[in-house]
Amino acid sequence: MLTLEIILTLAILAGAVALFISERLRMDLVALLTLCALALAGLVTPEQAVAGFSNGAVIVMWTMFIISAGLARTGLAGVLGKFILRLGGHHKTRLMLILMIVAAALSSVMNNLGVVALLLPVALDVARRSHHSPSRFLIPLSYASLLGGMLTLIGTPPNLIANDALQAAGGTPLGLFDFAPLGLALTAAGLLYFAVLGRHLLPRRDPARDLDQPDRLQEASFGLEERLFVVQLPPDSPLAGKTMAESHLGSALGINVVAVLRADDVTLAPDPHLRLERADRLLVTGRADRLQELKQGTQLQVEESGFVPEHLTGGDVQLAEVTFAPQSPMLGQTLGDLDFRRRYGANVLAVWRAATPIRTNLHSLALHEGDVLLVQTTTGRLEALRQNPEFFVSEARSTQLYRLDERLMLVRVPADSSLAGKTLAESRLADGFGFSALTILRGEDTLPMPGPEEVLQAGDRVVVAARPEDLDAFRGLQGLEVDTRHTPSFAEMQSDQVGLIPVVLSPQSRLNGKTLRQAHFREKYGLSVLAIWRAGRPYRFNLRDMDIRFGDALLVYGPRARLKVLASEPDFLVLSEEIKDAPRRKKAHWAAGILLGMVVIVVLGWLPITIAALLAATLMILSGAVTMDEAYRAIDWRSIFLVAAMLPLGAAMQTSGADFWLAAGVAALIQPLDLLLQLGALFLAIVVASQFIPNAVLVLLMMPLALGVGRQFGLPPQALTLLVAAAASCSFITPISHPGNVLVMGPGGYRMSDYLKVGLPLTLVLLVVTVLTITGLYG
């Protein structure tokens, strides 16, 4: 019978699934919303709502992150790399299979995403030393880590969650190695598949081939040589005497300066504070046509009559002064960090601080208590600022107080300017040259606060906020000449002090979705990103405004000392073993002993797995294998909150009867089928859903349903538990179905179609193996 409780539970379930698939909100936030909805609807008690955070499966999950980090930091990767090369030699198939066996074995006792992160640099190093493409190894690596997770109870979160649901439903829980028979069968089937068929379906791509062999660098698929050229400063260049940062070379032209060539002196990876000199030759990567376009005609002319304050207002646009409330969280942040213009619809023209106006570098100015912001905004936006408790708004004092005439100027767009016909965003006046357009004077019309989509027209006069030195830099860029003489190769631009390495975002990175500019990459690390490999193709132009995502491979260039600093950052995973910090090899025996001790304790039944894992994680920290800070960083808190907050939904499905209602419906659909087809249909449904829903969440949702179906047909609950866990781990068809697949996408140069081509046949093979093994064990 369909009760109100069942309807509410299914409605919340449907809403959560829709949000997971749409990706409009973060997965962990969706989980927290689901938890709150269940509690507010009275479907779970307050105690049940928060019980997930003390759940045994959740505790084992985060402790395994720490244990995995301890094994990784003690030099396990280097030892495994030598082992794989020694056994595999240069034989491609043998190397692939050995790498898969190692990955599967590690995944039985480590978090499988941690295994991929650990072995990714090893696989790339093996590929380089054996002269094979990394694309022949990385998908097998990711898939093997998923298969190996099925070998033990602690191998992967779906196992732990499925077992916890089994125990909550009153079934006898599975032991540490009760997953092994099925796990061994699946792993063996996966190895056989890749040995016979899968290896022929893998692509032959290498986005960063031979990066450590400079003489062959031009063959790399990043195609850097195609975008390498030399520009020269003329003897009278206004850029002479300016620093690299002040020249706007990168922001205006979208290029990276690889080296400064002066007579017999070459400065590799020049610092942003290096001052340019007359006749300097700059080796750059980018598009030469951008420079040629800038040189065509006169881009802007400064009006002699200059700017008058009335140009800033008109219509519903006015000036006002804004101060911050005491203790405002905005204090200490920059206007750039706050994205003030886009967020509040107001241009900040100047800041009054300590009886002095500040009119330059406002974007990066840290705000202080007592600062007064002179803003240009619309009446509606100004009213919104007045209603915001973070601000105090008052009428603007005289603009002469702020001496705006020293910073604002009036420029004209001539008829032959290449800017005519472009939007303000396309012109890059603000982002590229530091010119912020405040008002456009078009004939008799005044257009204050033009939006980025406003199209410039020949004859427009534009009030811009700019410094005279920015205008000099603009003229200097127009005077640059492309030098068609000998262009040095990129191989010549590396040395013992300067190098080039590929990196990817780490699984715990906070930079996913941010641009390099928002991450302050250049300022923070003093390194240049020369190319980004994404979905099977390289991007080499205007990279600082391109958002970086999980799966991207970034080609980073700069001083090796700074590359080592980057390697220590938790946001990045450096794909070169030689650049990483030296592992704590003296602690390796402690890490191995702690892991072995935990396994023995659990097998002998001396302690519950929750306490044993917690003890092992604590000992990893006490032994020095991993520090406390590293332990915190190693935990994927998003996954922990996701699982802990979704656990109450499983409880609500059981207490409301929604699991029984759904199970009865599914049982009626598959009842005409025989046992093998019934299990196969359930397996296939879970596999399809796992391509869109996180596998940990999917197990939480499917376990009550699967156990209900099992009761309808008299199947042992342990058999259904194994089937659900195995199906949820078969995340092979798309890269987004598992973070490990995303992690190898950039370094392997894979496309979406590669996962489908390799993963779909493997999934069908594993479906057959799973069904036959389970019926053999429990039939």
Side-chain angles (χ1 to χ4, degrees):
M1 179 180 176
L2 194 61
T3 64
L4 178 61
E5 289 78 9
I6 293 177
I7 293 173
L8 287 173
T9 303
L10 294 180
I12 293 171
L13 169 62
V17 171
L19 287 172
F20 281 130
I21 294 175
S22 70
E23 297 183 348
R24 294 177 65 88
L25 297 175
R26 287 173 47 130
M27 290 187 295
D28 46 357
L29 180 57
V30 173
L32 289 171
L33 285 172
T34 303
L35 183 154
C36 294
L38 291 169
L40 291 173
L43 297 170
V44 294
T45 65
E47 292 76 16
Q48 288 175 318
V50 297
F53 293 94
S54 61
N55 180 272
V58 173
I59 292 173
V60 174
M61 279 179 61
W62 66 256
T63 54
M64 290 308 299
F65 279 115
I66 298 174
I67 294 168
S68 299
L71 294 172
R73 287 295 296 125
T74 52
L76 185 61
V79 174
L80 291 175
K82 294 177 182 177
F83 171 75
I84 293 168
L85 276 173
R86 187 169 64 249
L87 290 183
H90 287 73
H91 191 277
K92 181 170 53 184
T93 303
R94 190 188 309 149
L95 282 169
M96 178 190 70
L97 293 175
I98 293 172
L99 181 65
M100 291 182 69
I101 291 170
V102 170
L106 287 176
S107 290
S108 67
V109 291
M110 289 178 64
N111 173 269
N112 44 28
L113 181 56
V115 170
V116 177
L118 174 71
L119 292 181
L120 180 53
V122 174
L124 291 173
D125 189 56
V126 167
R128 181 179 62 82
R129 292 176 184 272
S130 60
H131 307 293
H132 296 304
S133 169
S135 64
R136 312 294 289 178
F137 300 111
L138 298 188
I139 275 183
L141 165 64
S142 179
Y143 288 5
S145 73
L146 291 168
L147 293 171
M150 277 298 298
L151 290 169
T152 65
L153 173 62
I154 61 175
T156 186
N159 297 1
L160 291 164
I161 297 165
N163 195 52
D164 184 74
L166 170 65
Q167 189 172 10
T172 303
L174 295 167
L176 182 64
F177 292 111
D178 286 344
F179 284 81
L182 177 59
L184 287 170
L186 292 175
T187 303
L191 291 169
L192 185 62
Y193 166 80
F194 274 101
V196 176
L197 176 63
R199 62 191 176 95
H200 300 295
L201 301 177
L202 292 166
R204 292 177 174 84
R205 298 190 205 101
D206 185 356
R209 188 185 332 160
D210 303 312
L211 290 177
D212 294 325
Q213 300 181 39
D215 58 319
R216 295 181 59 190
L217 183 61
Q218 68 274 11
E219 300 172 15
S221 297
F222 273 108
L224 291 178
E225 297 286 351
E226 302 170 14
R227 298 293 188 185
L228 197 63
F229 61 99
V230 174
V231 296
Q232 184 165 16
L233 274 68
D236 59 346
S237 174
L239 297 179
K242 294 186 180 299
T243 66
M244 295 284 296
E246 292 168 345
S247 71
H248 296 296
L249 279 162
S251 58
L253 301 179
I255 61 178
N256 280 300
V257 180
V258 176
V260 177
L261 315 175
R262 282 178 190 157
D264 296 328
D265 182 41
V266 176
T267 303
L268 301 179
D271 187 273
H273 302 294
L274 176 74
R275 293 197 175 275
L276 297 170
E277 297 179 3
R278 291 178 175 83
D280 274 350
R281 298 172 68 235
L282 311 178
L283 182 66
V284 302
T285 61
R287 286 171 47 184
D289 59 337
R290 186 66 177 269
L291 176 60
Q292 298 301 336
E293 180 183 318
L294 185 65
K295 293 172 64 65
Q296 292 175 2
T298 303
Q299 302 299 315
L300 293 172
Q301 291 177 337
V302 178
E303 291 279 285
E304 294 297 331
S305 57
F307 144 81
V308 294
E310 288 73 18
H311 289 151
L312 296 175
T313 57
D316 68 340
V317 175
Q318 55 186 297
L319 301 183
E321 290 184 335
V322 175
T323 56
F324 294 93
Q327 310 301 319
S328 169
M330 298 184 187
L331 297 174
Q333 299 190 64
T334 67
L335 292 172
D337 293 334
L338 295 172
D339 199 7
F340 195 90
R341 174 169 180 166
R342 186 194 64 81
R343 190 174 176 185
Y344 299 107
N347 289 323
V348 179
L349 306 180
V351 175
W352 186 264
R353 176 182 294 173
T356 304
I358 302 174
R359 302 174 302 277
T360 59
N361 298 322
L362 299 180
H363 189 76
S364 57
L365 181 71
L367 299 168
H368 295 177
E369 188 170 353
D371 283 350
V372 180
L373 277 57
L374 179 66
V375 300
Q376 177 197 35
T377 188
T378 62
T379 303
R381 291 284 194 169
L382 190 61
E383 186 59 32
L385 287 173
R386 285 196 175 97
Q387 300 300 321
N388 192 322
E390 298 293 338
F391 302 111
F392 297 115
V393 179
S394 58
E395 289 187 8
R397 291 170 287 178
S398 170
T399 56
Q400 295 180 356
L401 185 68
Y402 290 91
R403 303 205 299 272
L404 292 182
D405 57 317
E406 298 176 11
R407 181 172 178 259
L408 304 185
M409 63 181 71
L410 194 62
V411 297
R412 178 185 293 273
V413 181
D416 62 345
S417 173
S418 65
L419 299 180
K422 289 185 175 181
T423 66
L424 283 172
E426 292 168 343
S427 74
R428 300 184 62 81
L429 285 174
D431 293 340
F433 304 103
F435 299 168
S436 181
L438 304 177
T439 301
I440 295 178
L441 307 176
R442 183 172 294 158
E444 299 298 322
D445 297 328
T446 300
L447 307 175
M449 289 193 69
E453 71 287 346
E454 184 67 40
V455 178
L456 292 170
Q457 299 179 13
D460 279 351
R461 294 185 299 156
V462 186
V463 178
V464 296
R467 299 173 300 174
E469 50 265 39
D470 291 329
L471 190 60
D472 286 343
F474 181 80
R475 291 170 177 152
L477 292 173
Q478 286 185 293
L480 291 174
E481 298 288 346
V482 176
D483 190 339
T484 56
R485 292 177 293 172
H486 169 68
T487 299
S489 70
F490 216 104
E492 300 174 57
M493 297 300 105
Q494 298 184 75
S495 67
D496 292 339
Q497 287 76 40
V498 176
L500 182 73
I501 61 167
V503 304
V504 295
L505 294 184
S506 71
Q508 294 82 29
S509 179
R510 300 158 296 177
L511 303 181
N512 182 46
K514 290 187 176 182
T515 65
L516 293 171
R517 187 213 301 257
Q518 290 169 336
H520 305 292
F521 187 90
R522 175 69 174 164
E523 297 83 355
K524 187 174 181 180
Y525 301 109
L527 299 167
S528 298
V529 176
L530 301 184
I532 295 176
W533 185 276
R534 173 180 295 169
R537 62 156 292 188
Y539 295 83
R540 296 158 299 196
F541 176 71
N542 205 24
L543 299 179
R544 72 184 204 140
D545 293 317
M546 182 176 175
D547 61 310
I548 47 179
R549 307 172 189 165
F550 288 124
D552 289 346
L554 283 63
L555 197 60
V556 181
Y557 177 73
R560 294 188 186 274
R562 290 180 176 174
L563 292 174
K564 284 187 175 291
V565 173
L566 184 69
S568 65
E569 286 289 313
D571 287 314
F572 297 98
L573 179 63
V574 173
L575 306 182
S576 174
E577 284 296 305
E578 66 180 38
I579 215 77
K580 290 186 173 183
D581 290 337
R584 304 182 182 112
R585 299 192 187 280
K586 293 182 179 180
K587 304 294 184 180
H589 63 286
W590 282 103
I594 290 168
L595 176 63
L596 180 62
M598 182 193 74
V599 172
V600 170
I601 288 172
V602 173
V603 170
L604 295 179
W606 292 348
L607 288 174
I609 189 170
T610 307
I611 303 302
L614 190 58
L615 177 62
T618 304
L619 291 176
M620 281 285 186
I621 299 169
L622 287 175
S623 68
V626 63
T627 67
M628 198 68 190
D629 288 339
E630 289 170 341
Y632 278 118
R633 289 199 301 265
I635 299 172
D636 185 359
W637 293 107
R638 289 168 294 193
S639 298
I640 301 302
F641 271 77
L642 174 66
V643 173
M646 288 299 293
L647 279 170
L649 181 57
M653 290 182 67
Q654 291 178 347
T655 56
S656 68
D659 59 340
F660 182 81
W661 187 84
L662 287 173
V666 173
L669 287 175
I670 64 175
Q671 189 171 16
L673 306 176
D674 63 25
L675 178 61
L676 293 178
L677 291 178
Q678 289 171 358
L679 294 177
L682 188 58
F683 182 98
L684 198 57
I686 296 172
V687 166
V688 171
S690 72
Q691 310 310 311
F692 311 101
I693 302 174
N695 54 14
V697 174
L698 185 61
V699 172
L700 287 169
L701 302 180
M702 293 302 298
M703 273 302 293
L705 174 62
L707 293 176
V709 171
R711 285 192 294 268
Q712 297 278 340
F713 295 109
L715 296 174
Q718 290 78 11
L720 275 302
T721 301
L722 289 174
L723 184 135
V724 170
S729 293
C730 288
S731 305
F732 305 126
I733 300 176
T734 67
I736 60 173
S737 58
H738 192 271
N741 296 343
V742 176
L743 194 59
V744 302
M745 191 175 186
Y750 297 122
R751 300 188 177 104
M752 293 280 287
S753 58
D754 294 325
Y755 292 87
L756 180 63
K757 185 167 62 176
V758 180
L760 183 57
L762 175 60
T763 301
L764 297 176
V765 169
L766 297 180
L767 183 156
V768 173
V769 172
T770 300
V771 170
L772 292 178
T773 303
I774 287 177
T775 53
L777 290 172
Y778 296 97

